[in-house]
Amino acid sequence: MNAGTLRIILFIAILSWSAKAQNSIKGDFPLLKGQKVQLIGFRDLGIYTIDSTTVSEQGSFTLGFTDQDLGMGYISGPDNKSYLVVLAQEQLQLTGELLSAPEGIRTITGAENKAFVNYATAHGKREQALSAWIYLQKIYQADSLFSNQKAVQQAIASETSRIHKEDADFLNQLAPQSYMKWYLPLRKLISAVGTVAQYNIEEIPNTIAAFRQLDYADPRWYHSGLLKDAIESQYWLLENRGLPQDAMYVEMNRSTDSLLQSLSKNETAFNLVTKYLFDYFEKHSLFTASEYLANQALTQNSCRIELNLGQQLESYRAMKKGNTAADIVFEGDVFQNGKAITTPARLSEVKAKYKLVIFGANWCPNCVAELKQLIPLYEKWKLQGVEVVFISLDTDQNAFRDFAIQMPFISSCDYKKWDTPAAKAYFVSSSPTMYLLDQNQKIILRPVSMLQLDAYLQSGK
């Protein structure tokens, strides 16, 4: 190897090392000697391992991270306890005994981490005090026994104002470009949701407005560990606000519009967050919100939708209220009242004012529970013109037959699970899935439970 080639190799090596230049966290935890510790980072909506090491016999360890990991992270120990840290361009040095005892951990160096610890400690105490003062304030304003105590009311107002100012002053003095300047107000907003919902409901509109004004395309979200909580918190608050269902969905749709508009500047984030929000709505049976999200995401023209997500969203556009559902051919084993039947042979041959199509299986505990609630309601519903068709996703013939023999309505199974043509035609991806159709198979409702459907039918809509 000649000298010129060696110089080139060394130059490339130096460039590569510079690109991966590490920041470090040094720890002195004597009680952890000989044990493994890991540095875990946040990425998008999940976590990943950045570095790991074994604590020396003297109790010291060093964990490294690169500029690609900047944001928030945590040190995880052998007992699965963790200690949250700021991954900033600074050398962080900690001393303590156990990661599970944060009150005994000291931050020796690291300005961002010192700011985080100081604020987190003080803010927690301030929040506790504010909750108590707000509780007392309501009593002194509403209870006739105390409502004439104006001096006390003024003192309470003064103290709550002082606490708010103290909190704001701390945040205002942070360096404008510091990560904590961005992170701490968001953490404060998210952590306040529970308190607002329980003790300070008049602040709910302002809290929702604050969530709607956030820039979810900001890359700092995706290493913060806050993204999932920020998405869920505003919808949880709307779901538990006590609004009538129609009004609740109007507000959820407004939040969805704000979220998608914010994400339109970042295609990768748009797909990531839309997928997560859609799954969140499905998990919480907020199907009207799912339908709206699907339609808005598919009709926007700022971002390209990934193929799998697009197919999932298209299922909602195809099966939304008012559309006509596909006909279903009853294949495989078909039973009614414990007997095999050959007619009707398809859904369109079922003569009824309403047709409730249920996709479920014997292996699905929620399906079993819902069908047990259905049986005592079935005869009452028949009098109202409702017929039930159960499309089983079972793969075991004996399991299906044992299940179907108890059912007074049509039960069909071809043992193909998710690949049954009916499940594909109705875009079924979870169980139980239910659709209430009219006699022409127009979609009227996607019930989330038998009790909800019973209430709907009794309402006479």
Side-chain angles (χ1 to χ4, degrees), residues 42-342:
F42 297 102
R43 178 182 291 148
D44 298 334
L45 296 162
I47 59 174
Y48 67 106
T49 301
I50 298 174
D51 195 11
S52 64
T53 190
T54 300
V55 181
S56 74
E57 286 301 309
Q58 291 71 43
S60 62
F61 63 82
T62 300
L63 293 164
F65 60 95
T66 73
D67 287 354
Q68 302 301 313
D69 305 309
L70 298 182
M72 298 299 295
Y74 60 89
I75 304 170
S76 177
D79 55 359
N80 292 322
K81 299 296 182 180
S82 58
Y83 184 75
L84 200 61
V85 292
V86 187
L87 304 180
Q89 291 176 319
E90 61 184 24
Q91 301 304 313
L92 172 60
Q93 186 173 356
L94 304 170
T95 64
E97 295 183 344
L98 295 171
L99 298 172
S100 57
E103 66 280 357
I105 297 176
R106 289 198 306 127
T107 305
I108 306 303
T109 61
E112 292 267 34
N113 278 274
K114 286 184 177 181
F116 172 65
V117 171
N118 290 340
Y119 182 78
T121 302
H123 180 69
K125 294 176 181 178
R126 284 194 284 263
E127 284 296 292
Q128 289 179 334
L130 277 173
S131 296
W133 284 120
I134 291 170
Y135 174 76
L136 287 173
Q137 188 176 50
K138 293 182 185 300
I139 290 177
Y140 273 82
Q141 289 175 345
D143 194 315
S144 59
L145 188 63
F146 305 105
S147 58
N148 62 341
Q149 299 298 314
K150 303 302 181 185
V152 176
Q153 292 178 30
Q154 291 174 0
I156 293 173
S158 176
E159 179 58 10
T160 55
S161 177
R162 186 196 67 80
I163 293 173
H164 282 301
K165 183 177 184 303
E166 189 176 83
D167 198 86
D169 286 346
F170 183 95
L171 296 174
N172 289 336
Q173 57 84 33
L174 294 171
Q177 300 305 314
S178 74
Y179 187 76
M180 285 296 99
K181 184 76 170 182
W182 173 84
Y183 176 88
L184 289 176
L186 294 176
R187 181 182 169 100
K188 175 184 176 181
L189 173 64
I190 294 166
S191 66
V193 165
T195 302
V196 168
Q198 187 173 4
Y199 300 110
N200 206 9
I201 58 175
E202 62 273 11
E203 281 299 310
I204 290 178
N206 289 336
T207 303
I208 294 297
F211 277 112
R212 289 173 179 164
Q213 292 167 8
L214 298 177
D215 179 8
Y216 293 93
D218 190 317
R220 289 174 292 189
W221 278 110
Y222 300 88
H223 281 278
S224 69
L226 293 179
L227 182 59
K228 189 183 299 184
D229 290 334
I231 295 169
E232 294 187 4
S233 291
Q234 61 177 311
Y235 290 99
W236 178 88
L237 194 54
L238 289 170
E239 188 179 1
N240 292 276
R241 188 178 175 183
L243 295 173
Q245 189 174 74
D246 288 348
M248 178 192 76
Y249 279 124
V250 168
E251 289 301 315
M252 284 189 172
N253 294 345
R254 287 185 61 198
S255 287
T256 296
D257 285 338
S258 298
L259 188 64
L260 295 183
Q261 177 60 38
S262 171
L263 291 165
S264 65
K265 298 173 285 185
N266 185 328
E267 186 172 284
T268 300
F270 185 95
N271 281 273
L272 175 77
V273 174
T274 300
K275 174 68 167 69
Y276 184 81
L277 183 58
F278 184 84
D279 290 343
Y280 173 84
F281 288 153
E282 290 287 279
K283 181 180 177 182
H284 291 81
S285 300
L286 298 167
F287 298 127
T288 300
S290 300
E291 182 179 305
Y292 184 83
L293 171 63
N295 184 67
Q296 295 301 99
L298 289 168
T299 54
Q300 58 80 39
N301 54 20
S302 299
C303 298
R304 180 181 59 85
I305 302 292
E306 294 173 357
L307 179 61
N308 290 340
L309 175 59
Q311 291 173 341
Q312 192 176 19
L313 298 179
E314 282 288 3
S315 73
Y316 258 79
R317 188 150 68 173
M319 297 301 292
K320 70 180 181 179
K321 183 177 175 180
N323 283 11
T324 299
D327 202 3
I328 296 174
V329 176
F330 304 141
E331 299 179 337
D333 288 331
V334 186
F335 291 91
Q336 186 170 16
N337 289 314
K339 297 179 181 179
I341 63 170
T342 56

Side-chain angles (χ1 to χ4, degrees), residues 9-28:
I9 292 173
L10 287 173
F11 179 71
I12 292 172
I14 290 170
L15 284 178
S16 176
W17 179 85
S18 298
K20 298 181 179 179
Q22 287 196 332
N23 306 292
S24 68
I25 300 173
K26 295 183 182 296
D28 184 13

